[in-house]
Amino acid sequence: MAVSARFRRRRGQRRHEVHKPAGALHPRVERVGPHHFGIVSVDCAKARSKWMLADFFGKVLVAPVEVPHTQAGFRAALQQLRQAILDHRLDDLVVAVERTGHYHQPVRRAFADAGFEVRTVHPFATKQFRLPADPGNKTDETDLNAIHRAAVNGFGLLERPVDDLSLRLRSLARYRRDLVRKCSSLKNQIHEHIEMLMPGYAGCFEDVFISNIALLIARRTGSPEAVRRLGSAGLGQLLREAGVRFQAPSLDGILTWVEAAGSGEEPTAILLRILTALDEDRLMKVREIDDVERDLASLLVRTPYVLLLSMPGVNVVSAAEFAGEIGPNRALRQCA
């Protein structure tokens, strides 16, 4: 495919950068001088973190200090940091926080709310900068040194601010993904308990979770002997009392299975109780997934990412996940 001259010219003018654009510090370091540029390295944990301050060359100005994730702890750390800035005459400074699940968020917010520029270091970057200097020695101090090296080399990245709509999409999409995983685990457990109670019963259906009678009969009977006693008329009566619509031929497979089925495991009553509880849990999660998907759709239509639904194979869930993770996109907004 031919490439326009305008595009070739624009691509040819692109500068080669060694550092990541979102992590480059050198222009600012050149402006104030390496001795007057500080880097705060923070190794985060669940309830407390460790931080240290060093200049660009790596001279430690504040030795590693533990800070609890409390208002008093953050206030003391910020006071110590501001005093160190005055004592060592630092003219510019960034805070490099290692991303650790959600545990780094309180630290990030505390420094950002205090007016400091916070950058995020991926744990992979920390590991790669730790191994050459301290192989096999993973402590808070060596991690802090690695975070400092990563930030100096452009791996302390600025994160784009995320708007409220994208945050809501991201949270709901991740919540739905977690619900789907749990629902899949419950299905496996339900299959296992059906097989223990009624060996071979699940083979009567293409999918016991799609059939409107499979799990109902399993929960109401719990054994081949109970199905055999009910027979065709009893099963039909059971389904009618439950308000489930069915056709008589749909019971033929069950009646064929029960003629040759062996007995299930004991204790039947306990296993049936567990099966019922698992299925109730699954049904609750299925209802929650449906509610979340409706909420995702209502949020997605308020973003330019709704245009993705015009592409084959993209549905509301995948478009909403993409929108939540990517966040605001100017190019896509201009197309809307």
Side-chain angles (χ1 to χ4, degrees):
M1 182 174 67
V3 180
S4 66
R6 180 181 177 185
F7 180 77
R8 286 197 303 269
R9 188 163 53 251
R10 183 185 304 167
R11 185 171 61 184
Q13 292 174 353
R14 181 178 177 182
R15 294 177 58 191
H16 175 71
E17 297 285 350
V18 174
H19 300 283
K20 292 194 172 192
L25 295 174
H26 291 71
R28 293 166 58 178
V29 177
E30 291 174 354
R31 188 162 53 249
V32 301
H35 292 291
H36 300 284
F37 188 94
I39 297 178
V40 177
S41 306
V42 187
D43 183 25
C44 299
K46 185 176 182 179
R48 57 186 54 83
S49 301
K50 268 197 174 181
W51 69 278
M52 75 172 187
L53 172 64
D55 64 17
F56 189 78
F57 284 138
K59 179 183 178 182
V60 177
L61 307 178
V62 175
V65 182
E66 189 174 271
V67 51
H69 293 184
T70 62
Q71 291 186 7
F74 289 135
R75 192 161 47 244
L78 290 169
Q79 183 178 357
Q80 186 177 4
L81 175 59
R82 290 192 178 100
Q83 187 60 47
I85 292 173
L86 296 175
D87 294 342
H88 299 284
R89 294 182 296 172
L90 299 179
D91 297 321
D92 199 355
L93 178 141
V94 297
V95 180
V97 179
E98 184 184 35
R99 189 172 72 191
T100 312
H102 295 284
Y103 299 148
H104 71 287
Q105 294 292 354
V107 180
R108 184 191 64 79
R109 285 193 297 267
F111 281 100
D113 292 344
F116 294 103
E117 180 184 299
V118 181
R119 300 195 170 206
T120 305
V121 178
H122 196 282
F124 288 170
T126 303
K127 178 181 178 181
Q128 293 304 318
F129 281 96
R130 175 179 58 81
L131 288 177
D134 301 287
N137 179 22
K138 188 183 188 317
T139 63
D140 290 343
E141 282 72 16
T142 57
D143 276 348
L144 286 172
N145 296 338
I147 293 169
H148 177 90
R149 296 187 203 106
V152 167
N153 286 278
F155 288 90
L157 305 181
L158 281 169
E159 294 185 348
R160 292 184 303 171
V162 183
D163 61 337
D164 179 66
L165 186 58
S166 298
L167 282 174
R168 291 163 66 186
L169 273 169
R170 180 189 302 173
S171 299
L172 279 176
R174 291 179 178 179
Y175 175 49
R176 180 197 171 277
R177 196 183 313 152
D178 185 55
L179 285 173
V180 170
R181 290 196 190 102
K182 292 177 179 177
C183 203
S184 298
S185 177
L186 285 170
K187 287 181 177 180
N188 292 334
Q189 291 177 276
I190 290 169
H191 266 298
E192 181 181 354
H193 280 78
I194 289 177
E195 189 64 25
M196 286 191 291
L197 286 166
M198 308 166 71
Y201 174 75
C204 301
F205 308 92
E206 183 177 350
D207 189 334
V208 295
F209 302 105
I210 295 177
S211 171
N212 61 336
I213 66 172
L215 283 170
L216 176 61
I217 292 175
R219 288 175 54 171
R220 296 293 180 87
T221 60
S223 68
E225 292 78 11
V227 175
R228 197 175 293 118
R229 286 194 302 269
L230 286 174
S232 178
L235 289 175
Q237 181 65 24
L238 183 151
L239 295 173
R240 281 189 290 271
E241 290 176 355
V244 176
R245 299 180 62 182
F246 70 100
Q247 294 181 349
S250 62
L251 301 177
D252 293 344
I254 300 175
L255 297 173
T256 302
W257 157 78
V258 79
E259 290 177 1
S263 58
E265 294 184 16
E266 296 289 343
T268 302
I270 299 299
L271 292 176
L272 185 57
R273 174 183 174 181
I274 296 172
L275 171 64
T276 302
L278 290 172
D279 194 40
E280 287 296 328
D281 193 8
R282 178 189 69 87
L283 291 173
M284 183 181 67
K285 286 179 170 53
V286 168
R287 289 191 292 269
E288 180 65 8
I289 290 171
D290 291 339
D291 291 341
V292 170
E293 289 179 354
R294 280 191 291 269
D295 291 340
L296 286 174
S298 66
L299 293 173
L300 182 65
V301 297
R302 296 163 55 187
T303 72
Y305 290 96
V306 71
L307 297 173
L308 296 175
L309 297 180
S310 62
M311 301 174 61
V314 178
N315 58 19
V316 169
V317 172
S318 55
E321 285 197 355
F322 186 80
E325 299 297 337
I326 298 299
N329 189 297
R330 295 180 180 178
L332 196 57
R333 190 180 296 114
Q334 290 172 359
C335 297

